[in-house]
Amino acid sequence: MSQIFTETVTINAPLEEVWNYFINLEENAPNWMNGIQEMEKETTGEIHQGTNYLFHARGKRHSSTVTEFVPKAKVTLTSVQGNFQADYTYSFSSENTDYTKLTLNASCDARGMSRVFSPVIKMAIKKSDRDQVNLFKEAFLNRDQVRT
């Protein structure tokens, strides 16, 4: 895997509140994931490694699988399109009860002919998603406001 970017924000809220907002991807992801109009959990039951999500982004239907899951600590969402795989690892930590640190590490792997386009794809991902943790923070802090 080749790293695309790592971004971190500190949120003035307890870890459990931040985690609960994050993990409700179906309801909340469209509020902070660029280009995501809708996200639905395809797998039944509690979220776990192997849970699959379908989402609509930029007019197309995609899927993402939870490939790593540590409750209240880490989630990796993996999307594969042809020979290109992107991993988004969200890590949560808290040094005290008042603040939560959220880190997003985005990485990718390209195989076959996709390797030729990898630099362009990585640049597009970085441009589109680098501010995702800041958008998450904003959406989380404004979560109680009425949506229009």
Side-chain angles (χ1 to χ4, degrees), residues 1 4-5 22 25 32-34 36 55 58 64-68 74-81 84-92 103-108 121-122 124-133:
M1 283 287 183
I4 303 171
F5 67 86
F22 174 88
L25 290 167
W32 54 272
M33 287 185 169
N34 276 331
I36 303 287
F55 60 94
R58 297 170 188 91
S64 188
T65 302
V66 175
T67 54
E68 184 176 18
K74 186 183 283 190
V75 176
T76 299
L77 296 172
T78 300
S79 296
V80 177
Q81 292 184 23
F84 190 84
Q85 175 180 321
D87 287 352
Y88 287 67
T89 300
Y90 301 87
S91 301
F92 299 80
T103 300
L104 169 57
N105 180 34
S107 58
C108 68
I121 294 170
K122 287 167 67 173
I125 288 172
K126 190 174 189 176
K127 181 178 180 184
S128 172
D129 296 337
R130 188 172 197 155
D131 64 344
Q132 198 176 90
V133 291

Side-chain angles (χ1 to χ4, degrees), residues 1-146:
M1 283 287 183
S2 171
Q3 184 170 329
I4 303 171
F5 67 86
T6 298
E7 293 291 328
T8 300
V9 294
T10 300
I11 302 169
N12 186 11
L15 176 91
E16 186 147 353
E17 286 182 32
V18 174
W19 173 263
N20 288 338
Y21 183 83
F22 174 88
I23 208 63
N24 190 354
L25 290 167
E26 289 176 286
E27 184 175 332
N28 297 323
N31 297 330
W32 54 272
M33 287 185 169
N34 276 331
I36 303 287
Q37 291 89 33
E38 175 185 14
M39 183 172 269
E40 62 183 276
K41 192 168 123 215
E42 187 177 49
T43 310
T44 58
E46 295 292 316
I47 298 169
H48 59 279
Q49 187 170 330
T51 297
N52 195 53
Y53 289 91
L54 298 174
F55 60 94
H56 293 129
R58 297 170 188 91
K60 296 181 182 177
R61 192 170 176 97
H62 303 279
S63 68
S64 188
T65 302
V66 175
T67 54
E68 184 176 18
F69 184 78
V70 180
K72 299 179 187 170
K74 186 183 283 190
V75 176
T76 299
L77 296 172
T78 300
S79 296
V80 177
Q81 292 184 23
N83 289 326
F84 190 84
Q85 175 180 321
D87 287 352
Y88 287 67
T89 300
Y90 301 87
S91 301
F92 299 80
S93 63
S94 182
E95 295 178 14
N96 65 49
T97 58
D98 296 330
Y99 296 93
T100 302
K101 186 188 299 186
L102 169 59
T103 300
L104 169 57
N105 180 34
S107 58
C108 68
D109 185 30
R111 297 193 173 119
M113 289 301 294
S114 293
R115 288 159 78 172
V116 172
F117 302 106
S118 182
V120 174
I121 294 170
K122 287 167 67 173
M123 188 181 332
I125 288 172
K126 190 174 189 176
K127 181 178 180 184
S128 172
D129 296 337
R130 188 172 197 155
D131 64 344
Q132 198 176 90
V133 291
N134 290 310
L135 292 172
F136 174 87
K137 179 179 180 177
E138 181 180 333
F140 173 81
L141 293 175
N142 294 311
R143 68 195 179 280
D144 294 327
Q145 293 181 5
V146 178

